[in-house]
């Protein structure tokens, strides 16, 4: 969902209690007008704006901003054929990735209407994930043009790249970075990758923590986003191969789903705990959602 995947440091398995979220939250379904599919992948920022992608009738994906006032603003980098925004900052800067006409993946930053293309040096493709208020960003770079193998990286506000993978990872993705520099993402321990070998991770102060949703039969955990408070959202699969979103807060896991949805994925969380993501309905149509605490 999020479309988007150094150090020899010990990995700490996260074994925390799981519980169900109370039914006090408010869910809002989000569909770009006339779109064949919609997802929200980043935000909300302090103003309440989020970003995502919508699919047109021809199958191409376009980026959009969904404002706090409920307005949709579509956008695409120049010469792009598909656009996948990842994050929106408090200043309104947008990060993400796009495919060019040669089907090569590039990262981008959109600031005040100006696009900057971001390419990891020497990589076959680049996807830029979240950006912190300090201007540091994370993402992943592709070893091959088809992006069958990816590795995480951090890009400083100065434009300096640092690649990394959690210990024992065959490949990984960097999803978001918060103000304190904590990074979350996902990694695989086998190649070719399989959901059963996928794990979430937290990189904080140089130490990796593996994050797996602690339910019997659960697999394929991905950490999609974190906020300043250290809350983490993501998704996992249950023993019936159905996807659920989760919130990891105060060292406790809480699973949740868009009401009635068989598949739910969380891709963003604000400082106030508002969560955005995507879900599939019973007919397997894809929609974005906003969950308010």
């Amino acid at each position: 969902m999020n479309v988007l995947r150094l150090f020899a440091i010990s990995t700490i398995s996260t074994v925390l209690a799981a519980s169900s979220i109370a039914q006090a939250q408010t869910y809002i379904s989000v569909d770009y007008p006339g779109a064949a599919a919609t997802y929200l992948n980043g935000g909300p920022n302090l103003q309440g704006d989020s970003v995502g992608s919508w699919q047109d009738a021809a199958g191409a994906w376009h980026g959009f901003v969904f404002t706090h006032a409920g307005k949709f603003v579509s956008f695409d980098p120049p010469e792009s054929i598909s656009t996948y925004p990842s994050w929106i900052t408090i200043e309104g800067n947008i990060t993400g990735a796009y495919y060019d006409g040669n089907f090569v993946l590039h990262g981008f930053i959109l600031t005040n209407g100006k696009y900057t293309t971001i390419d990891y040096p020497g990589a076959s493709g680049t996807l830029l994930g979240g950006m912190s208020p300090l201007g540091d960003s994370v993402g992943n770079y592709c070893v091959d043009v088809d992006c069958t193998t990816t590795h995480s990286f951090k890009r400083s506000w100065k434009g300096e790249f640092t690649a990394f993978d959690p210990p024992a990872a065959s490949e990984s993705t960097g999803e978001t970075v918060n103000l304190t520099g904590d990074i979350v993402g996902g990694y695989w321990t086998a190649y070719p990758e399989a959901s059963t070998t996928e794990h979430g991770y937290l990189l904080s102060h140089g130490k990796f923590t593996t994050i797996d949703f602690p339910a019997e039969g659960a697999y394929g955990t991905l950490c999609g986003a974190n906020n300043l408070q250290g809350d983490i959202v993501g998704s996992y699969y249950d023993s019936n191969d159905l996807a659920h979103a989760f919130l990891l807060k105060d060292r406790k896991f809480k699973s949740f789903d868009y009401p009635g949805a068989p598949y739910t994925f969380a891709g963003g969380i604000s400082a106030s705990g508002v969560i955005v993501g995507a879900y599939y309905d019973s007919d397997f149509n894809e929609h974005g959602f906003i969950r308010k605490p």
Side-chain angles (χ1 to χ4, degrees):
M1 190 4 258
N2 269 20
V3 188
L4 323 171
R5 292 263 190 246
L6 342 131
F7 316 107
I9 300 173
S10 60
T11 302
I12 308 169
S13 296
T14 303
V15 182
L16 304 172
S19 62
S20 297
I21 279 187
Q23 297 302 310
Q25 288 74 36
T26 300
Y27 289 87
I28 301 171
S29 186
V30 177
D31 289 297
Y32 189 92
T38 303
Y39 72 78
L40 286 176
N41 196 43
N45 63 9
L46 184 62
Q47 295 86 341
D49 302 333
S50 303
V51 292
S53 285
W54 66 277
Q55 188 180 41
D56 64 26
W61 289 90
H62 310 272
F64 72 87
V65 177
F66 184 61
T67 73
H68 63 282
K71 181 181 179 181
F72 292 92
V73 181
S74 184
F75 66 89
D76 289 292
E79 301 180 358
S80 64
I81 59 172
S82 282
T83 305
Y84 307 97
S86 298
W87 200 250
I88 183 168
T89 69
I90 186 174
E91 300 86 3
N93 300 325
I94 298 171
T95 58
Y98 70 92
Y99 280 101
D100 65 21
N102 295 316
F103 296 97
V104 176
L105 190 66
H106 306 272
F108 74 84
I109 301 173
L110 173 58
T111 304
N112 296 325
K114 180 181 178 180
Y115 290 92
T116 301
T117 294
I118 306 297
D119 289 313
Y120 187 91
S124 297
T126 304
L127 188 149
L128 199 61
M131 175 181 283
S132 79
L134 299 178
D136 297 330
S137 54
V138 295
N140 53 89
Y141 70 89
C142 307
V143 174
D144 56 290
V145 175
D146 293 332
C147 285
T148 56
T149 303
T150 64
H151 300 283
S152 301
F153 69 80
K154 179 180 179 180
R155 181 181 182 271
S156 74
W157 63 273
K158 296 180 180 180
E160 301 167 336
F161 290 90
T162 302
F164 66 90
D165 287 301
S170 60
E171 57 180 309
S172 67
T173 67
E175 298 295 333
T176 62
V177 55
N178 66 11
L179 180 61
T180 63
D182 292 345
I183 299 170
V184 298
Y187 73 95
W188 289 263
T189 56
Y191 184 83
E193 67 188 41
S195 294
T196 53
T197 63
E198 184 181 10
H199 310 272
Y201 74 80
L202 166 67
L203 173 57
S204 180
H205 302 290
K207 294 184 178 180
F208 285 95
T209 300
T210 289
I211 298 176
D212 289 315
F213 191 84
E216 185 176 358
Y219 68 93
T221 300
L222 171 68
C223 294
N226 59 345
N227 62 11
L228 175 61
Q229 289 82 357
D231 304 330
I232 298 172
V233 294
S235 60
Y236 71 96
Y237 288 87
D238 65 20
S239 57
N240 295 315
D241 300 325
L242 300 177
H244 309 276
F246 72 82
L247 168 64
L248 175 55
K249 182 180 180 67
D250 299 327
R251 296 184 60 80
K252 294 182 180 180
F253 281 96
K254 295 181 179 180
S255 178
F256 67 93
D257 294 295
Y258 186 89
Y263 296 89
T264 304
F265 307 89
I269 182 169
S270 72
S272 62
V274 179
I275 298 170
V276 301
Y279 72 93
Y280 286 90
D281 62 26
S282 58
D283 294 321
F284 291 93
N285 298 310
E286 189 175 14
H287 313 267
F289 76 85
I290 298 173
R291 173 188 172 274
K292 297 183 178 180

